[in-house]
Amino acid sequence: MRRSRLPFAIHFATRFAALCAAFSALALAVSVSASASPALSLAHNFAPGSLPDRTAAKFAEFTKSAADKPQQALRTVIQRGPSGEEGDNLARLRRGQIDCVLSDLAVFSDTGSDRYRILGLPFLYSGPEHALSILDGPLGEHVLQHLRDEGLELLSWHYLGPRMLTANAPIHSLRELHGLKLRLPQDDTVSAAWLALGAHPRQIPITELPTALRRGQVDAQENPPALIRSERLYEHQKYLMRTNHQPQPQLLLCADRAWKKLSADAHRQLRRAAREASAWATRQALAEQEADVRWLVEEGGMTLIDFNPRGVERALSGLARLLAGNEGELVYRQVRELR
């Protein structure tokens, strides 16, 4: 009797269907893997809960909601190098160890551009709107191109708060700055300005600042109230001077190496998310700065001192040309004209 071929046919059909399904799944997985953008890493060096830390989290949140694919979500990490300064993360960015950073205007000293170092001078800006406006218009276009030439893509910028002076003695005027041992970030432009104002600058990593204050290695330091609070510097200083010497802008930068790997859609999504995060950060900074000052006085035990800036502009006149020649003087004048 002839054996039926039906069981074999069923078995073959079942195996064929399973193979087709497996092949389809594999093809889909390869397709998704090829089209998905890897998660970008964003590093900063600020304390957990600080405004920059919350801004980084907001950027990650907005990026995730804006991304077409979950794999494009941003992962943020707090990275404090040996000195705890932005320069540590900028160096890691250039080495390809991270993709994005939060940085202040010290990035222009890091890139070695003399003319744009001027943007980090204290007592240059009239307020937050003025400080943020430098990256708009013709001057901003030149600045953005300079950063691209240095391998950095500027995604957005925002306001972090007004930098203020703290010390263990009240400082009311320019005269009382003379001889002051002042801790400053590792930025030669900023140091040159305070030296011209009569202080004795000391470039000390922020990780070592509390110890330096406690031991009397420096008499004073300067930072936005939010960071004076989050870094607990009020524990080592008695007086808070309302110098408002720099409305602190902060930049959200991406390495050109990472940027070029992304699609045009990913560029659009990241820029939108970055701008939303920066707009949020500026609103928070404006809302929180006076609350932080009140907290430092009422809870932190500091005494608030009004500072008279009379004579500061004269003391700093000519510094732009001294630091960066005619091109630096031109940038300085362009910034002043935006007031």
Side-chain angles (χ1 to χ4, degrees):
M1 179 183 286
R2 191 175 179 181
R3 296 179 62 186
S4 171
R5 298 175 63 89
L6 185 59
F8 173 77
I10 293 173
H11 175 71
F12 178 80
T14 303
R15 290 291 303 275
F16 182 75
L19 286 170
C20 287
F23 180 79
S24 297
L26 178 62
L28 178 62
V30 171
S31 174
V32 170
S33 175
S35 62
S37 298
L40 294 176
S41 58
L42 168 65
H44 69 82
N45 63 299
F46 299 91
S50 63
L51 182 54
D53 183 51
R54 287 179 284 142
T55 302
K58 278 291 180 183
F59 182 40
E61 175 188 325
F62 291 144
T63 303
K64 186 175 182 180
S65 63
D68 294 333
K69 305 177 182 68
Q71 293 86 350
Q72 289 175 338
L74 188 82
R75 54 188 176 88
T76 65
V77 288
I78 299 174
Q79 293 283 1
R80 268 199 158 163
S83 74
E85 302 290 345
E86 282 94 336
D88 295 329
N89 281 328
L90 286 169
R92 297 177 67 247
L93 187 77
R94 292 180 181 281
R95 291 196 296 266
Q97 296 171 324
I98 51 178
D99 301 313
C100 305
V101 297
L102 283 173
S103 176
D104 63 17
L105 296 178
V107 65
F108 295 110
S109 293
D110 183 77
T111 59
S113 168
D114 281 346
R115 79 170 72 174
Y116 295 122
R117 289 172 61 190
I118 303 308
L119 300 177
L121 285 175
F123 298 102
L124 176 58
Y125 305 103
S126 60
E129 289 185 4
H130 182 207
L132 295 179
S133 72
I134 62 171
L135 294 172
D136 294 319
L139 176 59
E141 290 176 8
H142 290 298
V143 171
L144 267 61
Q145 186 56 53
H146 165 69
L147 289 172
R148 288 192 184 105
D149 293 342
E150 292 290 329
L152 299 171
E153 187 69 29
L154 178 58
L155 301 181
S156 63
W157 54 93
H158 50 266
Y159 177 52
L160 188 57
R163 295 185 81 92
M164 296 185 182
L165 193 67
T166 71
N168 282 325
I171 298 172
H172 300 89
S173 65
L174 179 62
R175 180 176 57 83
E176 292 169 328
L177 286 175
H178 283 251
L180 186 75
K181 291 184 293 183
L182 174 62
R183 180 271 169 185
L184 295 171
Q186 294 176 334
D187 185 327
D188 292 341
T189 302
V190 174
S191 292
W194 286 99
L195 183 64
L197 294 174
H200 291 173
R202 301 285 189 273
Q203 291 187 347
I204 296 174
I206 197 167
T207 50
E208 300 173 18
L209 178 54
T211 300
L213 292 171
R214 188 172 60 252
R215 293 179 177 175
Q217 294 172 323
V218 289
D219 307 313
Q221 68 85 45
E222 49 83 58
N223 260 304
L227 298 186
I228 296 170
R229 180 176 176 179
S230 64
E231 298 291 336
R232 305 180 69 87
L233 300 177
Y234 58 87
E235 295 180 349
H236 310 286
Q237 299 274 261
K238 296 179 180 179
Y239 295 92
L240 175 66
M241 271 56 69
R242 200 188 284 274
T243 50
N244 293 345
H245 54 270
Q246 187 180 65
Q248 180 69 66
Q250 190 170 59
L251 314 180
L252 209 167
L253 298 160
C254 183
D256 186 61
R257 165 196 49 77
W259 184 252
K260 286 181 177 176
K261 292 180 181 178
L262 301 175
S263 67
D265 282 344
H267 287 173
R268 174 180 54 79
Q269 292 160 3
L270 275 176
R271 285 196 187 281
R272 184 174 69 189
R275 287 167 182 164
E276 289 177 352
S278 281
W280 177 89
T282 295
R283 290 194 301 270
Q284 290 299 116
L286 291 169
E288 294 176 6
Q289 61 187 28
E290 285 306 314
D292 285 324
V293 170
R294 283 196 303 273
W295 190 95
L296 289 170
V297 172
E298 296 171 5
E299 303 294 330
M302 303 188 80
T303 300
L304 185 62
I305 302 293
D306 286 325
F307 178 81
N308 184 347
R310 183 178 179 181
V312 167
E313 187 172 345
R314 179 182 296 178
L316 294 178
S317 65
L319 185 60
R321 186 182 298 276
L322 181 65
L323 290 174
N326 292 335
E327 290 185 342
E329 179 68 22
L330 177 61
V331 171
Y332 178 81
R333 289 179 181 175
Q334 287 178 296
V335 172
R336 299 283 293 185
E337 288 171 0
L338 292 172
R339 279 175 174 259

